[in-house]
Amino acid sequence: MSLSIILSFGIFFSVISTLCTKLSYGATRLTPAVFWLLFQVAAFFCIARSMKQINMGVVYAVWCGAGMVFIEALDVMLFSHTLNLPRIFYILVIISGIFGLQQTSAI
């Protein structure tokens, strides 16, 4: 399995973990808190594995940027958060940065 796919799984697990944090209501609900821990561990292993050959700065930037974009999308879809034009613009800037980093780094 390619390291980019492993990084994608790490981002997915991290996003689901963040969603579990929201659903735990300040760690007062046990089930989402337990799932948070499981997804955090899975995210850690995927991200650590991808750093074996992908530059650490690129992994971290892609993980943070992509995670933020997906969390923002989930916030809009699940929790009725609204987006304004400046937020959309900066999300697009982050996405373009992610693509730029992936294109300029040797994987």
Side-chain angles (χ1 to χ4, degrees):
M1 185 177 303
S2 85
L3 294 176
S4 295
I5 292 173
I6 292 172
L7 176 58
S8 298
F9 277 111
I11 293 166
F12 171 77
F13 292 141
S14 183
V15 167
I16 299 302
S17 174
T18 303
L19 180 61
C20 289
T21 302
K22 172 81 172 174
L23 297 175
S24 74
Y25 291 96
T28 60
R29 294 185 176 170
L30 182 61
T31 302
V34 169
F35 279 110
W36 170 85
L37 180 62
L38 295 173
F39 284 114
Q40 276 297 105
V41 169
F44 170 79
F45 281 110
C46 290
I47 291 166
R49 175 81 172 122
S50 66
M51 283 186 190
K52 286 182 86 172
Q53 291 181 349
I54 303 173
N55 179 292
M56 181 174 60
V58 172
V59 168
Y60 187 70
V62 171
W63 172 62
C64 288
M68 193 281 315
V69 169
F70 288 123
I71 289 297
E72 190 70 35
L74 284 174
D75 208 15
V76 168
M77 291 185 292
L78 300 177
F79 303 107
S80 302
H81 181 87
T82 57
L83 289 175
N84 55 30
L85 201 53
R87 287 182 77 87
I88 293 170
F89 171 75
Y90 288 113
I91 288 170
L92 292 173
V93 168
I94 290 169
I95 291 170
S96 66
I98 291 168
F99 284 124
L101 283 171
Q102 287 177 334
Q103 295 301 313
T104 59
S105 65
I107 297 177

